[in-house]
Amino acid sequence: MTGTATYFDPTSLREIAQRAMDSIGAGDGTSASSDSRARSSVSVRSPIIGRAAGSVSFVDDATITTNVDDAVGRATSVFAHWRSVPAPRRGEVVRHLGDELRRHKDALADLVQIEVGKIRSEALGEVQEMIDICDFAVGLSRQLHGLTISSERPGHRLAETWQPLGPVGVISAFNFPVAVWSWNAALALICGDTVVWKPSDATPLCSLATTVLARRAAITAGFSADVCQLVFGDASVGRALASDHRVPLISATGSTRMGRLVAPIVAERFGRSILELGGNNAAIVAPSADLDLVVRGVTFAAAGTAGQRCTSLRRLIVHSSRVDEVVDRIGRAYTQLRVGNPMSSDTLVGPLIDEKAGRAMTAAIEQAVAEGGRLVVGGERCLADAAPDAAYMRPAIVTMPRQTEIVRTETFAPILYVMSYETMDEAIAIQNDVPQGLASSIFTTDLREAERFTGPAGSDCGIANVNIGPSGAEIGGAFGGEKETGGGRESGSDAWKAYMRRQTQTINYSNELPLAQGVVFE
């Protein structure tokens, strides 16, 4: 891609989006007059320019609805058959989805860039994450194992099995518009569940294109496309999905505020929820830390994706003997970060999602200074002339005398608060003294410090890393956090169990009827 200024032109962004939709097959490159099928359009709003870039047309083949009742009804209907399909056959749908994603990786990454503002490598990485979870789930479809348990009664077998749960509702956020859906959908499908997806309002093209690929994969494997449903709409649509008693599980990703709204709705009807909410992630830098690793790991974790990851690094806790050197080196690295149009190959930091996010970043820095902090570098707006409606912000470093109110509050923007400590007890206490509990890390070459940090008296987060930052995770491990992060788990390990119901079975293959615990009832 050449000519950075070109991509500040809304017409160019719209054309790229339409080409991506055509490549995926959602747009198919034909005009409404030459296509007998119904056609619809979606408005494209891009943080690259901070406003609408026009509309993109697509073939309306029932992949999209604003009616939750209809979507859940279709998902419920097809579940009656889907749950009885052998799990390895269900895995064929996910295998075909992975193939579709490989074929259309570049086109889907285009849409992620346009709607979220990610740089190219991160957009491609998000689609690769989808491919990875598909590969994982296909293998898992042959390993949905239960247990055989020793029975106290002769001639009896005690077993535990896992059964399909039902339609799964997925509510996703803007910052990972396709990967988070795939974590849930790939597992839900191989577990025998159907999927109803309510994506972020900010990313309609990403979700539409992904659903087209998923439904095509189902048809290719010989099954109904209705195993995957898509519903568009505002927060009222999310509430309707969370309220529907036909949806036994809601997996919701977003802010802690959103989780506080969703969780009681689901709990009131005795549904289940997987919540992946706020993160206020920290890294401890010990005296023995390799500072070359620290600078690279911290810079990406704090500034990557413009600080708009739930695992973004927001707090840096540095031993007092190293704090000046660490701030100086990371500060110099920050001055080399290229903030700009994410469609340009030399950009490292793109825009925030909207102007509101930019104002929140400015307000947070002002509050931090009022609470005794010192702005070391960054924090200013960029590219105001080229893209006056967009929120391009230079990543900021703010040193703090202590963990104040604003430091304990998650601001979804590239602000790194730096504090010092004297003892490891103090560092771990600072790390844990926030409401959120998603990701954490420590940089140390001291084995005892590393083991202590990852031990029972160490980090209280769902993710604890050593000598890497908290941002970014492989799909092989379960992803999620504690406290106000919600406590749910997605992706790898045994997270699949959340998408199934546990059933304990007792089989009597004898001619007698002994009761448990020696009870006699003659």
Side-chain angles (χ1 to χ4, degrees), residues 142-175:
R142 293 181 179 271
Q143 301 180 67
L144 299 177
H145 52 77
L147 294 172
T148 299
I149 305 165
S150 298
S151 173
E152 67 183 68
R153 289 171 283 187
H156 286 59
R157 180 169 63 85
L158 192 60
E160 181 180 88
T161 63
W162 295 87
Q163 308 288 359
L165 191 60
V168 171
V170 179
I171 301 173
S172 62
F174 78 87
N175 58 331

PDB file of all heavy atoms in Angstrom, residues 142-175:
ATOM      1  N   ARG A 142     -12.415 -34.597  18.638  1.00  0.00           N
ATOM      2  CA  ARG A 142     -12.218 -36.031  18.864  1.00  0.00           C
ATOM      3  C   ARG A 142     -11.766 -36.319  20.299  1.00  0.00           C
ATOM      4  O   ARG A 142     -11.366 -37.439  20.599  1.00  0.00           O
ATOM      5  CB  ARG A 142     -11.199 -36.597  17.875  1.00  0.00           C
ATOM      6  CG  ARG A 142     -11.706 -36.569  16.441  1.00  0.00           C
ATOM      7  CD  ARG A 142     -10.709 -37.146  15.451  1.00  0.00           C
ATOM      8  NE  ARG A 142     -11.257 -37.118  14.094  1.00  0.00           N
ATOM      9  CZ  ARG A 142     -11.991 -38.091  13.547  1.00  0.00           C
ATOM     10  NH1 ARG A 142     -12.268 -39.176  14.250  1.00  0.00           N
ATOM     11  NH2 ARG A 142     -12.442 -37.979  12.320  1.00  0.00           N
ATOM     12  N   GLN A 143     -11.847 -35.308  21.173  1.00  0.00           N
ATOM     13  CA  GLN A 143     -11.339 -35.490  22.536  1.00  0.00           C
ATOM     14  C   GLN A 143     -12.269 -34.908  23.596  1.00  0.00           C
ATOM     15  O   GLN A 143     -11.814 -34.478  24.658  1.00  0.00           O
ATOM     16  CB  GLN A 143      -9.966 -34.815  22.670  1.00  0.00           C
ATOM     17  CG  GLN A 143      -8.916 -35.345  21.710  1.00  0.00           C
ATOM     18  CD  GLN A 143      -7.595 -34.622  21.903  1.00  0.00           C
ATOM     19  OE1 GLN A 143      -6.961 -34.761  22.935  1.00  0.00           O
ATOM     20  NE2 GLN A 143      -7.190 -33.850  20.904  1.00  0.00           N
ATOM     21  N   LEU A 144     -13.556 -34.863  23.331  1.00  0.00           N
ATOM     22  CA  LEU A 144     -14.503 -34.357  24.330  1.00  0.00           C
ATOM     23  C   LEU A 144     -14.766 -35.457  25.359  1.00  0.00           C
ATOM     24  O   LEU A 144     -15.843 -36.038  25.435  1.00  0.00           O
ATOM     25  CB  LEU A 144     -15.799 -33.904  23.648  1.00  0.00           C
ATOM     26  CG  LEU A 144     -15.627 -32.778  22.623  1.00  0.00           C
ATOM     27  CD1 LEU A 144     -16.952 -32.461  21.961  1.00  0.00           C
ATOM     28  CD2 LEU A 144     -15.050 -31.525  23.277  1.00  0.00           C
ATOM     29  N   HIS A 145     -13.761 -35.724  26.132  1.00  0.00           N
ATOM     30  CA  HIS A 145     -13.759 -36.912  26.987  1.00  0.00           C
ATOM     31  C   HIS A 145     -14.458 -36.664  28.313  1.00  0.00           C
ATOM     32  O   HIS A 145     -14.505 -35.552  28.834  1.00  0.00           O
ATOM     33  CB  HIS A 145     -12.325 -37.350  27.263  1.00  0.00           C
ATOM     34  CG  HIS A 145     -11.455 -36.230  27.774  1.00  0.00           C
ATOM     35  ND1 HIS A 145     -11.518 -35.793  29.061  1.00  0.00           N
ATOM     36  CD2 HIS A 145     -10.522 -35.475  27.136  1.00  0.00           C
ATOM     37  CE1 HIS A 145     -10.652 -34.809  29.226  1.00  0.00           C
ATOM     38  NE2 HIS A 145     -10.037 -34.579  28.077  1.00  0.00           N
ATOM     39  N   GLY A 146     -14.993 -37.746  28.875  1.00  0.00           N
ATOM     40  CA  GLY A 146     -15.563 -37.724  30.211  1.00  0.00           C
ATOM     41  C   GLY A 146     -14.726 -38.560  31.153  1.00  0.00           C
ATOM     42  O   GLY A 146     -13.513 -38.694  30.968  1.00  0.00           O
ATOM     43  N   LEU A 147     -15.380 -39.154  32.153  1.00  0.00           N
ATOM     44  CA  LEU A 147     -14.679 -39.952  33.159  1.00  0.00           C
ATOM     45  C   LEU A 147     -15.435 -41.246  33.426  1.00  0.00           C
ATOM     46  O   LEU A 147     -16.666 -41.291  33.334  1.00  0.00           O
ATOM     47  CB  LEU A 147     -14.568 -39.185  34.488  1.00  0.00           C
ATOM     48  CG  LEU A 147     -13.716 -37.921  34.528  1.00  0.00           C
ATOM     49  CD1 LEU A 147     -13.906 -37.233  35.880  1.00  0.00           C
ATOM     50  CD2 LEU A 147     -12.251 -38.255  34.307  1.00  0.00           C
ATOM     51  N   THR A 148     -14.692 -42.278  33.764  1.00  0.00           N
ATOM     52  CA  THR A 148     -15.278 -43.474  34.365  1.00  0.00           C
ATOM     53  C   THR A 148     -14.833 -43.496  35.818  1.00  0.00           C
ATOM     54  O   THR A 148     -13.644 -43.393  36.112  1.00  0.00           O
ATOM     55  CB  THR A 148     -14.822 -44.754  33.650  1.00  0.00           C
ATOM     56  OG1 THR A 148     -15.254 -44.703  32.290  1.00  0.00           O
ATOM     57  CG2 THR A 148     -15.401 -45.984  34.321  1.00  0.00           C
ATOM     58  N   ILE A 149     -15.801 -43.613  36.740  1.00  0.00           N
ATOM     59  CA  ILE A 149     -15.537 -43.468  38.162  1.00  0.00           C
ATOM     60  C   ILE A 149     -15.866 -44.788  38.865  1.00  0.00           C
ATOM     61  O   ILE A 149     -16.866 -45.433  38.541  1.00  0.00           O
ATOM     62  CB  ILE A 149     -16.396 -42.325  38.749  1.00  0.00           C
ATOM     63  CG1 ILE A 149     -16.150 -41.017  37.964  1.00  0.00           C
ATOM     64  CG2 ILE A 149     -16.121 -42.108  40.234  1.00  0.00           C
ATOM     65  CD1 ILE A 149     -17.184 -39.950  38.209  1.00  0.00           C
ATOM     66  N   SER A 150     -15.052 -45.182  39.802  1.00  0.00           N
ATOM     67  CA  SER A 150     -15.297 -46.429  40.541  1.00  0.00           C
ATOM     68  C   SER A 150     -16.574 -46.315  41.354  1.00  0.00           C
ATOM     69  O   SER A 150     -16.752 -45.379  42.136  1.00  0.00           O
ATOM     70  CB  SER A 150     -14.125 -46.739  41.468  1.00  0.00           C
ATOM     71  OG  SER A 150     -12.948 -46.938  40.716  1.00  0.00           O
ATOM     72  N   SER A 151     -17.457 -47.287  41.171  1.00  0.00           N
ATOM     73  CA  SER A 151     -18.707 -47.317  41.929  1.00  0.00           C
ATOM     74  C   SER A 151     -18.546 -48.175  43.179  1.00  0.00           C
ATOM     75  O   SER A 151     -17.844 -49.190  43.154  1.00  0.00           O
ATOM     76  CB  SER A 151     -19.844 -47.863  41.059  1.00  0.00           C
ATOM     77  OG  SER A 151     -21.025 -48.047  41.823  1.00  0.00           O
ATOM     78  N   GLU A 152     -19.211 -47.788  44.258  1.00  0.00           N
ATOM     79  CA  GLU A 152     -19.175 -48.577  45.484  1.00  0.00           C
ATOM     80  C   GLU A 152     -20.108 -49.779  45.419  1.00  0.00           C
ATOM     81  O   GLU A 152     -20.064 -50.661  46.273  1.00  0.00           O
ATOM     82  CB  GLU A 152     -19.564 -47.707  46.689  1.00  0.00           C
ATOM     83  CG  GLU A 152     -21.016 -47.239  46.674  1.00  0.00           C
ATOM     84  CD  GLU A 152     -21.344 -46.317  47.833  1.00  0.00           C
ATOM     85  OE1 GLU A 152     -20.813 -45.191  47.859  1.00  0.00           O
ATOM     86  OE2 GLU A 152     -22.119 -46.743  48.702  1.00  0.00           O
ATOM     87  N   ARG A 153     -20.981 -49.820  44.399  1.00  0.00           N
ATOM     88  CA  ARG A 153     -21.967 -50.898  44.293  1.00  0.00           C
ATOM     89  C   ARG A 153     -21.522 -51.932  43.264  1.00  0.00           C
ATOM     90  O   ARG A 153     -21.136 -51.560  42.148  1.00  0.00           O
ATOM     91  CB  ARG A 153     -23.321 -50.319  43.903  1.00  0.00           C
ATOM     92  CG  ARG A 153     -23.982 -49.527  45.006  1.00  0.00           C
ATOM     93  CD  ARG A 153     -25.220 -48.791  44.543  1.00  0.00           C
ATOM     94  NE  ARG A 153     -24.872 -47.591  43.797  1.00  0.00           N
ATOM     95  CZ  ARG A 153     -25.773 -46.683  43.383  1.00  0.00           C
ATOM     96  NH1 ARG A 153     -27.058 -46.885  43.625  1.00  0.00           N
ATOM     97  NH2 ARG A 153     -25.387 -45.609  42.728  1.00  0.00           N
ATOM     98  N   PRO A 154     -21.545 -53.192  43.596  1.00  0.00           N
ATOM     99  CA  PRO A 154     -21.142 -54.220  42.628  1.00  0.00           C
ATOM    100  C   PRO A 154     -22.092 -54.235  41.423  1.00  0.00           C
ATOM    101  O   PRO A 154     -23.299 -53.990  41.553  1.00  0.00           O
ATOM    102  CB  PRO A 154     -21.234 -55.527  43.427  1.00  0.00           C
ATOM    103  CG  PRO A 154     -22.177 -55.228  44.548  1.00  0.00           C
ATOM    104  CD  PRO A 154     -21.982 -53.791  44.881  1.00  0.00           C
ATOM    105  N   GLY A 155     -21.527 -54.508  40.260  1.00  0.00           N
ATOM    106  CA  GLY A 155     -22.335 -54.587  39.052  1.00  0.00           C
ATOM    107  C   GLY A 155     -22.827 -53.238  38.567  1.00  0.00           C
ATOM    108  O   GLY A 155     -23.798 -53.165  37.802  1.00  0.00           O
ATOM    109  N   HIS A 156     -22.189 -52.178  38.989  1.00  0.00           N
ATOM    110  CA  HIS A 156     -22.564 -50.831  38.573  1.00  0.00           C
ATOM    111  C   HIS A 156     -21.356 -50.101  37.969  1.00  0.00           C
ATOM    112  O   HIS A 156     -20.214 -50.337  38.371  1.00  0.00           O
ATOM    113  CB  HIS A 156     -23.075 -50.008  39.767  1.00  0.00           C
ATOM    114  CG  HIS A 156     -24.443 -50.392  40.228  1.00  0.00           C
ATOM    115  ND1 HIS A 156     -24.759 -51.670  40.665  1.00  0.00           N
ATOM    116  CD2 HIS A 156     -25.593 -49.665  40.329  1.00  0.00           C
ATOM    117  CE1 HIS A 156     -26.035 -51.711  41.016  1.00  0.00           C
ATOM    118  NE2 HIS A 156     -26.566 -50.511  40.817  1.00  0.00           N
ATOM    119  N   ARG A 157     -21.655 -49.247  37.027  1.00  0.00           N
ATOM    120  CA  ARG A 157     -20.617 -48.370  36.460  1.00  0.00           C
ATOM    121  C   ARG A 157     -21.054 -46.922  36.636  1.00  0.00           C
ATOM    122  O   ARG A 157     -22.190 -46.559  36.323  1.00  0.00           O
ATOM    123  CB  ARG A 157     -20.398 -48.663  34.971  1.00  0.00           C
ATOM    124  CG  ARG A 157     -19.315 -47.775  34.329  1.00  0.00           C
ATOM    125  CD  ARG A 157     -18.930 -48.280  32.937  1.00  0.00           C
ATOM    126  NE  ARG A 157     -20.058 -48.236  32.011  1.00  0.00           N
ATOM    127  CZ  ARG A 157     -20.419 -47.150  31.314  1.00  0.00           C
ATOM    128  NH1 ARG A 157     -19.763 -46.004  31.471  1.00  0.00           N
ATOM    129  NH2 ARG A 157     -21.435 -47.204  30.472  1.00  0.00           N
ATOM    130  N   LEU A 158     -20.136 -46.120  37.147  1.00  0.00           N
ATOM    131  CA  LEU A 158     -20.385 -44.693  37.364  1.00  0.00           C
ATOM    132  C   LEU A 158     -19.567 -43.912  36.341  1.00  0.00           C
ATOM    133  O   LEU A 158     -18.364 -44.148  36.184  1.00  0.00           O
ATOM    134  CB  LEU A 158     -19.979 -44.314  38.793  1.00  0.00           C
ATOM    135  CG  LEU A 158     -20.392 -42.951  39.343  1.00  0.00           C
ATOM    136  CD1 LEU A 158     -21.900 -42.803  39.351  1.00  0.00           C
ATOM    137  CD2 LEU A 158     -19.824 -42.771  40.752  1.00  0.00           C
ATOM    138  N   ALA A 159     -20.214 -43.025  35.606  1.00  0.00           N
ATOM    139  CA  ALA A 159     -19.535 -42.286  34.548  1.00  0.00           C
ATOM    140  C   ALA A 159     -19.958 -40.820  34.554  1.00  0.00           C
ATOM    141  O   ALA A 159     -21.014 -40.457  35.087  1.00  0.00           O
ATOM    142  CB  ALA A 159     -19.847 -42.900  33.178  1.00  0.00           C
ATOM    143  N   GLU A 160     -19.114 -40.010  33.960  1.00  0.00           N
ATOM    144  CA  GLU A 160     -19.416 -38.584  33.787  1.00  0.00           C
ATOM    145  C   GLU A 160     -19.214 -38.242  32.317  1.00  0.00           C
ATOM    146  O   GLU A 160     -18.146 -38.499  31.756  1.00  0.00           O
ATOM    147  CB  GLU A 160     -18.488 -37.741  34.665  1.00  0.00           C
ATOM    148  CG  GLU A 160     -18.732 -36.251  34.573  1.00  0.00           C
ATOM    149  CD  GLU A 160     -17.776 -35.474  35.463  1.00  0.00           C
ATOM    150  OE1 GLU A 160     -16.676 -35.146  34.988  1.00  0.00           O
ATOM    151  OE2 GLU A 160     -18.126 -35.213  36.622  1.00  0.00           O
ATOM    152  N   THR A 161     -20.234 -37.678  31.690  1.00  0.00           N
ATOM    153  CA  THR A 161     -20.139 -37.308  30.277  1.00  0.00           C
ATOM    154  C   THR A 161     -20.505 -35.834  30.113  1.00  0.00           C
ATOM    155  O   THR A 161     -21.063 -35.200  31.020  1.00  0.00           O
ATOM    156  CB  THR A 161     -21.081 -38.154  29.406  1.00  0.00           C
ATOM    157  OG1 THR A 161     -22.437 -37.902  29.789  1.00  0.00           O
ATOM    158  CG2 THR A 161     -20.776 -39.640  29.557  1.00  0.00           C
ATOM    159  N   TRP A 162     -20.197 -35.313  28.935  1.00  0.00           N
ATOM    160  CA  TRP A 162     -20.493 -33.921  28.602  1.00  0.00           C
ATOM    161  C   TRP A 162     -21.448 -33.893  27.419  1.00  0.00           C
ATOM    162  O   TRP A 162     -21.214 -34.549  26.409  1.00  0.00           O
ATOM    163  CB  TRP A 162     -19.208 -33.173  28.291  1.00  0.00           C
ATOM    164  CG  TRP A 162     -18.312 -33.069  29.488  1.00  0.00           C
ATOM    165  CD1 TRP A 162     -17.378 -33.968  29.903  1.00  0.00           C
ATOM    166  CD2 TRP A 162     -18.305 -32.012  30.443  1.00  0.00           C
ATOM    167  NE1 TRP A 162     -16.773 -33.550  31.056  1.00  0.00           N
ATOM    168  CE2 TRP A 162     -17.321 -32.340  31.416  1.00  0.00           C
ATOM    169  CE3 TRP A 162     -19.011 -30.821  30.580  1.00  0.00           C
ATOM    170  CZ2 TRP A 162     -17.040 -31.519  32.502  1.00  0.00           C
ATOM    171  CZ3 TRP A 162     -18.728 -29.995  31.662  1.00  0.00           C
ATOM    172  CH2 TRP A 162     -17.749 -30.344  32.609  1.00  0.00           C
ATOM    173  N   GLN A 163     -22.509 -33.116  27.556  1.00  0.00           N
ATOM    174  CA  GLN A 163     -23.560 -33.056  26.543  1.00  0.00           C
ATOM    175  C   GLN A 163     -23.670 -31.629  25.982  1.00  0.00           C
ATOM    176  O   GLN A 163     -23.377 -30.659  26.682  1.00  0.00           O
ATOM    177  CB  GLN A 163     -24.910 -33.461  27.156  1.00  0.00           C
ATOM    178  CG  GLN A 163     -24.908 -34.781  27.912  1.00  0.00           C
ATOM    179  CD  GLN A 163     -24.796 -35.989  26.996  1.00  0.00           C
ATOM    180  OE1 GLN A 163     -24.731 -35.847  25.779  1.00  0.00           O
ATOM    181  NE2 GLN A 163     -24.778 -37.182  27.575  1.00  0.00           N
ATOM    182  N   PRO A 164     -24.134 -31.490  24.736  1.00  0.00           N
ATOM    183  CA  PRO A 164     -24.344 -30.147  24.166  1.00  0.00           C
ATOM    184  C   PRO A 164     -25.289 -29.323  25.035  1.00  0.00           C
ATOM    185  O   PRO A 164     -26.215 -29.850  25.657  1.00  0.00           O
ATOM    186  CB  PRO A 164     -24.934 -30.434  22.794  1.00  0.00           C
ATOM    187  CG  PRO A 164     -24.430 -31.800  22.447  1.00  0.00           C
ATOM    188  CD  PRO A 164     -24.397 -32.547  23.738  1.00  0.00           C
ATOM    189  N   LEU A 165     -25.050 -28.029  25.038  1.00  0.00           N
ATOM    190  CA  LEU A 165     -25.764 -27.143  25.945  1.00  0.00           C
ATOM    191  C   LEU A 165     -26.974 -26.474  25.292  1.00  0.00           C
ATOM    192  O   LEU A 165     -28.050 -26.389  25.877  1.00  0.00           O
ATOM    193  CB  LEU A 165     -24.794 -26.069  26.455  1.00  0.00           C
ATOM    194  CG  LEU A 165     -25.231 -25.188  27.607  1.00  0.00           C
ATOM    195  CD1 LEU A 165     -25.532 -26.014  28.839  1.00  0.00           C
ATOM    196  CD2 LEU A 165     -24.099 -24.181  27.926  1.00  0.00           C
ATOM    197  N   GLY A 166     -26.808 -25.975  24.061  1.00  0.00           N
ATOM    198  CA  GLY A 166     -27.884 -25.253  23.387  1.00  0.00           C
ATOM    199  C   GLY A 166     -27.338 -24.070  22.621  1.00  0.00           C
ATOM    200  O   GLY A 166     -26.124 -23.947  22.438  1.00  0.00           O
ATOM    201  N   PRO A 167     -28.189 -23.157  22.166  1.00  0.00           N
ATOM    202  CA  PRO A 167     -27.698 -21.953  21.494  1.00  0.00           C
ATOM    203  C   PRO A 167     -26.840 -21.112  22.444  1.00  0.00           C
ATOM    204  O   PRO A 167     -27.238 -20.861  23.588  1.00  0.00           O
ATOM    205  CB  PRO A 167     -28.984 -21.212  21.107  1.00  0.00           C
ATOM    206  CG  PRO A 167     -30.027 -22.273  21.047  1.00  0.00           C
ATOM    207  CD  PRO A 167     -29.666 -23.245  22.131  1.00  0.00           C
ATOM    208  N   VAL A 168     -25.681 -20.693  21.977  1.00  0.00           N
ATOM    209  CA  VAL A 168     -24.762 -19.865  22.759  1.00  0.00           C
ATOM    210  C   VAL A 168     -24.807 -18.444  22.217  1.00  0.00           C
ATOM    211  O   VAL A 168     -24.628 -18.226  21.012  1.00  0.00           O
ATOM    212  CB  VAL A 168     -23.323 -20.423  22.687  1.00  0.00           C
ATOM    213  CG1 VAL A 168     -22.335 -19.446  23.307  1.00  0.00           C
ATOM    214  CG2 VAL A 168     -23.245 -21.771  23.389  1.00  0.00           C
ATOM    215  N   GLY A 169     -25.050 -17.477  23.096  1.00  0.00           N
ATOM    216  CA  GLY A 169     -25.028 -16.076  22.701  1.00  0.00           C
ATOM    217  C   GLY A 169     -23.649 -15.490  22.894  1.00  0.00           C
ATOM    218  O   GLY A 169     -23.043 -15.647  23.950  1.00  0.00           O
ATOM    219  N   VAL A 170     -23.121 -14.843  21.852  1.00  0.00           N
ATOM    220  CA  VAL A 170     -21.794 -14.214  21.911  1.00  0.00           C
ATOM    221  C   VAL A 170     -21.967 -12.711  21.713  1.00  0.00           C
ATOM    222  O   VAL A 170     -22.490 -12.278  20.685  1.00  0.00           O
ATOM    223  CB  VAL A 170     -20.846 -14.785  20.840  1.00  0.00           C
ATOM    224  CG1 VAL A 170     -19.483 -14.087  20.912  1.00  0.00           C
ATOM    225  CG2 VAL A 170     -20.681 -16.294  21.012  1.00  0.00           C
ATOM    226  N   ILE A 171     -21.549 -11.934  22.700  1.00  0.00           N
ATOM    227  CA  ILE A 171     -21.559 -10.476  22.616  1.00  0.00           C
ATOM    228  C   ILE A 171     -20.106 -10.026  22.619  1.00  0.00           C
ATOM    229  O   ILE A 171     -19.380 -10.274  23.591  1.00  0.00           O
ATOM    230  CB  ILE A 171     -22.324  -9.856  23.801  1.00  0.00           C
ATOM    231  CG1 ILE A 171     -23.770 -10.354  23.823  1.00  0.00           C
ATOM    232  CG2 ILE A 171     -22.282  -8.332  23.727  1.00  0.00           C
ATOM    233  CD1 ILE A 171     -24.560  -9.920  25.050  1.00  0.00           C
ATOM    234  N   SER A 172     -19.660  -9.405  21.533  1.00  0.00           N
ATOM    235  CA  SER A 172     -18.238  -9.078  21.395  1.00  0.00           C
ATOM    236  C   SER A 172     -18.015  -7.578  21.325  1.00  0.00           C
ATOM    237  O   SER A 172     -18.927  -6.805  21.027  1.00  0.00           O
ATOM    238  CB  SER A 172     -17.641  -9.768  20.163  1.00  0.00           C
ATOM    239  OG  SER A 172     -18.269  -9.310  18.976  1.00  0.00           O
ATOM    240  N   ALA A 173     -16.775  -7.163  21.587  1.00  0.00           N
ATOM    241  CA  ALA A 173     -16.384  -5.757  21.603  1.00  0.00           C
ATOM    242  C   ALA A 173     -15.674  -5.391  20.303  1.00  0.00           C
ATOM    243  O   ALA A 173     -15.333  -6.252  19.494  1.00  0.00           O
ATOM    244  CB  ALA A 173     -15.477  -5.484  22.799  1.00  0.00           C
ATOM    245  N   PHE A 174     -15.404  -4.088  20.140  1.00  0.00           N
ATOM    246  CA  PHE A 174     -14.825  -3.605  18.878  1.00  0.00           C
ATOM    247  C   PHE A 174     -13.370  -3.973  18.704  1.00  0.00           C
ATOM    248  O   PHE A 174     -12.896  -4.125  17.572  1.00  0.00           O
ATOM    249  CB  PHE A 174     -14.953  -2.072  18.797  1.00  0.00           C
ATOM    250  CG  PHE A 174     -13.926  -1.336  19.635  1.00  0.00           C
ATOM    251  CD1 PHE A 174     -12.671  -1.034  19.127  1.00  0.00           C
ATOM    252  CD2 PHE A 174     -14.207  -0.952  20.934  1.00  0.00           C
ATOM    253  CE1 PHE A 174     -11.709  -0.376  19.894  1.00  0.00           C
ATOM    254  CE2 PHE A 174     -13.271  -0.288  21.713  1.00  0.00           C
ATOM    255  CZ  PHE A 174     -12.013   0.003  21.189  1.00  0.00           C
ATOM    256  N   ASN A 175     -12.622  -4.135  19.809  1.00  0.00           N
ATOM    257  CA  ASN A 175     -11.166  -4.169  19.681  1.00  0.00           C
ATOM    258  C   ASN A 175     -10.631  -5.464  19.083  1.00  0.00           C
ATOM    259  O   ASN A 175      -9.567  -5.465  18.459  1.00  0.00           O
ATOM    260  CB  ASN A 175     -10.501  -3.892  21.034  1.00  0.00           C
ATOM    261  CG  ASN A 175     -10.909  -4.877  22.100  1.00  0.00           C
ATOM    262  OD1 ASN A 175     -12.017  -5.425  22.080  1.00  0.00           O
ATOM    263  ND2 ASN A 175     -10.024  -5.123  23.048  1.00  0.00           N
TER     264      ASN A 175
END
